[in-house]
Amino acid sequence: MVKIYIMLFLVMLMWGLNLSALKVLVDAIDPILLTSFRVFTAGVAVLIICYVMGIFRLPYKSEWLIMLYIGTFNVVLHHSFIAVGLERTSGVNASLILGLMPLATVMMAVIFLKQRVNFLRTLGFILGFVGVAMTALTGDDGLGAISLGDGLVFIGVVVQGFSFVLISKLNASFDPRLITGYIMVFGSVFIFVLSQIFGASVSEMTRVFDWHLGAVFLFSAILATAFGHMTYNFAIKKVGPAESAIFINLNTLFAIIGAAIFLNEVVTIQHMIGFVFILVGIFLGTGAIEHKLLKRRGTL
């Protein structure tokens, strides 16, 4: 269990820094086109790793449909919304909105897995959304500061939370690391078709031959996306969607630090207050505080 937690910590570090990497990339390349190539590269890398690990196999007939479901939400919709959203909002705002992932995951578990909701969890949901609202409203324009990008990133959070619930229901014989590779490869094809429908030029991808953009692209595709997603999906199956989601707190923290260092973005007091609301909301909404209280009372 400790090994899984250490891997989750590393994943959160890479995911946090990946937000700054993606912000750099989408400023130079069409976001949907970029996403298709990045996710395809990541998917191929995952399948190669699975082959080396000896867990590679072809999906059974009964597994194709669940792969389609998971791939649609976890890859096509999630990555597309995040990429397009990042083009229209700041890295700090996106970082904090992505921090809502644990609450979105638990909310999906409540709806689809029939997990119980008590007062503390309800309060957590409310505080989390208040934190995101404060983040989106940061700026001199008040309500006018809410951008389309903030909304798209939020939708990306919701659809991925739903995909995590689907992953937790996978048949035990289908390794979640392997399905990660498959859904990335298949999902990237759909994203590429989408990019062509919107008129993106494939020639834009030649910009990654620049050593700087190329290095950022490989970090995002191989380390953050390939290693990150296959490890996180594996952890969901081992420790559950809610407990894994708690680590997203670190993702948010690392993303804010990365945006401040690499993107020279200003982190305001309102951002930090929003982060505190989100953090408290996560610990209440995911049941982490409730679990600690029950354990202290000896009822667990």
Side-chain angles (χ1 to χ4, degrees):
M1 196 67 70
V2 175
K3 185 178 179 181
I4 291 179
Y5 289 152
I6 292 174
M7 288 193 299
L8 281 172
F9 177 85
L10 293 175
V11 169
M12 292 308 117
L13 174 61
M14 287 186 290
W15 278 4
L17 298 179
N18 187 46
L19 201 69
S20 295
L22 287 176
K23 184 68 175 172
V24 170
L25 290 170
V26 299
D27 285 343
I29 303 170
D30 178 84
I32 300 180
L33 178 69
L34 168 73
T35 299
S36 68
F37 277 83
R38 180 175 62 84
V39 173
F40 178 79
T41 303
V44 171
V46 170
L47 293 179
I48 292 174
I49 293 172
C50 288
Y51 180 81
V52 173
M53 293 174 65
I55 60 174
F56 179 84
R57 69 168 174 82
L58 295 176
Y60 301 137
K61 288 183 179 179
S62 60
E63 295 167 337
W64 283 99
L65 187 58
I66 188 66
M67 278 178 51
L68 177 62
Y69 282 147
I70 295 174
T72 298
F73 290 97
N74 188 273
V75 178
V76 179
L77 294 178
H78 169 69
H79 287 286
S80 296
F81 278 123
I82 296 298
V84 176
L86 270 173
E87 194 180 30
R88 294 167 171 81
T89 189
S90 69
V92 173
N93 272 29
S95 302
L96 290 169
I97 295 172
L98 284 169
L100 197 64
M101 183 68 71
L103 291 188
T105 302
V106 173
M107 189 172 292
M108 294 299 150
V110 167
I111 296 172
F112 297 102
L113 301 182
K114 307 302 180 184
Q115 291 187 0
R116 68 185 182 90
V117 185
N118 54 25
F119 172 75
L120 284 179
R121 290 201 170 194
T122 302
L123 179 61
F125 291 147
I126 295 172
L127 291 177
F129 282 107
V130 167
V132 170
M134 291 184 66
T135 299
L137 291 172
T138 296
D140 298 328
D141 298 327
L143 288 173
I146 300 178
S147 68
L148 174 61
D150 292 334
L152 292 174
V153 172
F154 177 75
I155 295 173
V157 167
V158 173
V159 295
Q160 191 174 47
F162 179 65
S163 77
F164 288 158
V165 172
L166 292 177
I167 290 170
S168 71
K169 302 295 288 182
L170 274 175
N171 187 305
S173 66
F174 202 173
D175 193 295
R177 292 166 293 187
L178 180 59
I179 194 175
T180 299
Y182 278 124
I183 63 177
M184 281 182 174
V185 171
F186 296 146
S188 67
V189 174
F190 288 102
I191 297 173
F192 177 76
V193 172
L194 189 63
S195 74
Q196 297 308 291
I197 292 175
F198 284 103
S201 174
V202 179
S203 63
E204 288 187 44
M205 287 305 301
T206 58
R207 295 173 186 170
V208 300
F209 293 136
D210 171 79
W211 74 269
H212 175 68
L213 282 180
V216 174
F217 176 83
L218 290 176
F219 164 77
S220 178
I222 305 299
L223 292 180
T225 306
F227 173 79
H229 280 276
M230 70 180 294
T231 301
Y232 191 78
N233 290 348
F234 178 73
I236 289 174
K237 192 65 181 176
K238 289 295 183 181
V239 301
E243 189 166 348
S244 300
I246 292 175
F247 280 82
I248 298 290
N249 302 324
L250 296 174
N251 175 18
T252 305
L253 180 61
F254 291 140
I256 292 174
I257 294 173
I261 295 174
F262 298 111
L263 302 178
N264 296 317
E265 292 188 1
V266 177
V267 181
T268 67
I269 293 178
Q270 191 167 338
H271 279 131
M272 297 314 298
I273 294 175
F275 175 65
V276 171
F277 270 92
I278 292 171
L279 196 62
V280 174
I282 287 169
F283 279 108
L284 289 174
T286 57
I289 291 180
E290 179 186 0
H291 179 80
K292 289 291 183 183
L293 290 175
L294 292 174
K295 192 173 182 179
R296 181 171 294 181
R297 293 172 185 170
T299 54
L300 279 181

